[in-house]
Amino acid sequence: MPDVLKAPLVVEFPFTRSLGPVQSAFLTGLRERVVLGVRTTDGRTLVPPAEYDPVTAEEIRDLVEVAPTGTVTTWAWNHAPRRGQPLDTPFAWVLVRLDGADTALLHALDAPGPDAVRTGMRVRVRWAAERSGAITDIACFEPYDGGPAQPDGHCGDFADPVTGIVAPARLDYTYTPGRAQTAHLDALAERRIVGERCPSCRKVYVPPRGACPTCGVATSERVEVGPRGTVTTFCIVNIKARGLDIEVPYVYAHIALDGADLALHGRIGGIPYDRVRMGLRVEPVWTGGARHPDHYRPTGEPDADYDTYRELL
Amino acid sequence: MNREIAVVAFAQTDHRRTSEELSEVELLMPVLHDVLARTGLRTADLDFVCSGSSDYLAGRAFSFTLALDGVGAWPPISESHVEMDGAWALYEAWTKLRTGDADTALVYAYGKSSPGSLRDVLTRQLDPYYVAPLWPDSVALAALQAQALIDAGDTDEPALAAVAARNRENATANPHAQLRGPVPHGDHVVRPLRRGDCAPVGDGAAAVILAAGERARALTERPAWIRGIDHRVEAHGLGVRDLTDSPSTRLAAEHAGAFERPVDTAELHAPFTSQEIVLRKALRLGDGVRVNPSGGALAAHPVMAAGLIRIGEAAARIHRGASDRALAHATSGPCLQQNLVAVLEGDPR
């Protein structure tokens, strides 16, 4: 296998979601240690509650309190809990039909081992010590020997309802850019810029992605391009990006490196922003240990003739 | 417009645990070239292109747009993408051909599961309010379904192991499969499912070409005519559904005409042994039906392509005369939430 670059890639996002009236009541209820279901017009009680009947698609919002006790309808023993799951010791995933409900809720059951779990067993909610109005306000379920607990008949009205949730999500990847981009990145580390030539149309693509987007065939012939190039078009940036240490206004340009058939992007420096023009001849400026040019500056050559880069606009 | 539409060519990669030396387009391109070569068509000859993939597998937004480089999108082409298995991309292409807007279509799909942790990635397709914050992984949810089947008396652990063994035995004839022949059934991953009950995690790509009417006959000797295709979804609430049954599969099969006459072959997209039990029942497949001669998803499961591969494998059997009437099934979502069924036929011999 050829050597390919790889690097950790973490994708993380705090998904912020608003709640509808039924979801809001349900999650607020959990904060207050009350479990609410919603009644359908044919008299079934859905827990967790939906805003639309999953059978008829009718809008429903008749909230009813159900018991925090219930019966396991199916289960699965999880001997190796994963990040983010409700318990960090081995536990059972369970679907639980709470007393008073007609559908089942997914959660975790804290039990000593798989032999202590069976379909039909009785369980009750273990509340989280700190509750915010989220499904995780139920810490988990635990075995329970008794009959149905008697709910208080809460109607779902709360003084201070939660109206949204923040559900953080994180996924970890190992990113590998593939053969073509690895070669490009390796060359950048040596302050060279390489593209790849299409065997069919002979165009040189930079940065190369391994395929000619026009012909749909693999590119493989590596071609060194630049270092000098021509500004084909540009814009003047007037708004400072957060965390970016570049004074505005500055110029961001498409630069057709000599020998390339596709322009790439770069910042133009070393010249007042209002003197940058199409046809300006530029060269890369490498700074520190950066793996790509920091910016491009004028070479002092005469401007390129329009006809030499008109196809690259 | 009532036009006959057929699968005229199918190609797939070898499916492997990792393809880290390849970018997505590098993985996909040989398959695109292969499927085109089988028909003699060039990209410019295609009236429509439709693809299926998921950015969550790679962890990068709009990764599918780069895959288009492998198609050659200049001059501009008519193109669409579904963030789903390629079987649903095929459904879209079939619709397009039925309307008469196109005579040929390329459908492709790819999935690289190797960069991330598939069990965690798939949690992001769950209900974000009540379920996803608990991070129940794909094996855990399938295990809940398996236990429900065991409780109902529909199967037991030895029967599940036999499903795994039969699929992987079938896969010995499939050079593209990731797992072939005897595979240790292994320890529980999430009880009652063992390692051997679960599809392998891997990378791969597939492509098919569809053509209408006489065009299909011109492109291949024995077109695999799509006699019917339909897909249905069930409630996302797992606790609302009867996990031992798949009414969406049955309904899709009914609308696709699967029950009108017996099929000789069925390619089922069952990433877990227990799901094959559910599907066989929902589809009323008798012992005379050859189920998953390719080895099915238990032999190779490139996510987002595995469903399209079921259609491709079924069609390829018709192309080479090994089947006259085949059923192909694709699934999406936890515990067989969404299901697509296609019925394919060859011309009488």
Side-chain angles (χ1 to χ4, degrees), chain B residues 126-175:
Chain B
L126 303 168
D127 164 9
Y129 300 98
Y130 302 155
V131 182
L134 305 174
W135 292 84
D137 60 279
S138 47
V139 181
L141 296 175
L144 288 168
Q145 183 170 35
Q147 184 63 44
L149 286 164
I150 291 170
D151 288 335
D154 287 354
T155 193
D156 54 26
E157 287 202 41
L160 295 179
V163 170
R166 189 185 43 73
N167 275 280
R168 289 172 184 140
E169 173 59 31
N170 287 351
T172 53
N174 177 356

Side-chain angles (χ1 to χ4, degrees), chain B residues 303-317:
Chain B
V303 173
M304 298 296 142
L308 180 65
I309 291 169
R310 305 281 71 75
I311 300 174
E313 289 281 7
R317 279 178 73 79

Side-chain angles (χ1 to χ4, degrees), chain B residues 181-298:
Chain B
V183 171
H185 209 49
D187 295 332
H188 285 124
V189 183
V190 180
R191 180 172 160 171
L193 293 179
R194 294 176 185 273
R195 176 70 56 206
D197 289 308
C198 307
V201 175
D203 300 351
V208 306
I209 290 177
L210 299 182
E214 287 311 309
R215 198 69 201 283
R217 289 197 169 84
L219 289 170
T220 191
E221 205 167 310
R222 192 166 196 249
W225 300 107
I226 301 173
R227 294 301 183 205
I229 184 168
D230 194 64
H231 63 104
R232 302 280 158 163
V233 66
E234 297 173 38
H236 66 209
L238 287 172
V240 172
R241 291 158 51 189
D242 172 2
L243 297 180
T244 67
D245 195 10
S246 184
S248 55
T249 299
R250 190 178 304 109
L251 192 58
E254 239 170 70
H255 283 256
F259 301 133
E260 289 166 14
R261 284 188 297 119
V263 296
D264 55 44
T265 301
E267 278 285 343
L268 305 180
H269 184 187
F272 299 95
T273 51
S274 42
Q275 295 182 346
E276 184 177 306
I277 307 282
V278 178
L279 293 169
R280 278 173 176 266
K281 187 169 76 171
L283 292 165
R284 300 171 205 157
L285 297 178
D287 290 340
V289 181
R290 187 88 203 275
V291 174
N292 289 349
S294 68
L298 291 168

Side-chain angles (χ1 to χ4, degrees), chain A residues 1-2 4-6 9 11 15 17-19 22-24 26-27 44 46 48-50 54-55 73-80 82-86 93-95 102-108 114-115 119 134-136 138 165 167-181 196 209-219, chain B residues 16 18-26 29 32-33 43 55-60 66 68-75 112-124 126-137 139-149 151 187-192 234-241 243:
Chain A
M1 189 186 297
V4 288
L5 292 172
K6 46 175 92 172
L9 171 67
V11 178
F15 286 95
R17 300 180 182 277
S18 56
L19 300 173
V22 172
Q23 294 168 317
S24 168
F26 175 68
L27 294 178
R44 287 168 305 129
L46 311 180
V55 177
T73 65
T74 186
W75 62 283
W77 186 255
N78 186 25
H79 64 83
R82 302 168 76 79
R83 185 173 71 199
Q85 295 182 342
W93 289 106
V94 282
L95 282 169
D102 293 290
T103 60
L105 170 82
L106 178 80
H107 221 294
D115 294 340
T119 296
I135 192 66
T136 46
I138 297 175
I165 59 166
R170 174 187 167 134
L171 294 170
D172 287 72
Y173 299 91
T174 301
Y175 179 67
T176 60
R179 276 195 282 256
Q181 293 186 77
E196 282 184 350
R209 301 192 195 282
C212 171
T214 303
C215 305
V217 299
T219 55
Chain B
R16 298 184 291 144
T18 178
S19 57
E20 62 181 13
E21 76 280 15
L22 302 174
S23 67
E24 285 162 319
V25 67
E26 288 168 343
M29 214 163 11
L32 299 174
H33 296 165
T43 309
D55 284 352
Y56 274 84
L57 295 174
R60 288 182 303 133
L66 297 181
L68 266 181
D69 286 354
V71 179
W74 184 267
K112 280 187 66 158
S113 298
S114 60
S117 165
L118 186 63
R119 287 170 70 181
D120 297 324
V121 168
L122 290 177
T123 64
R124 300 302 92 193
L126 303 168
D127 164 9
Y129 300 98
Y130 302 155
V131 182
L134 305 174
W135 292 84
D137 60 279
V139 181
L141 296 175
L144 288 168
Q145 183 170 35
Q147 184 63 44
L149 286 164
D151 288 335
D187 295 332
H188 285 124
V189 183
V190 180
R191 180 172 160 171
E234 297 173 38
H236 66 209
L238 287 172
V240 172
R241 291 158 51 189
L243 297 180

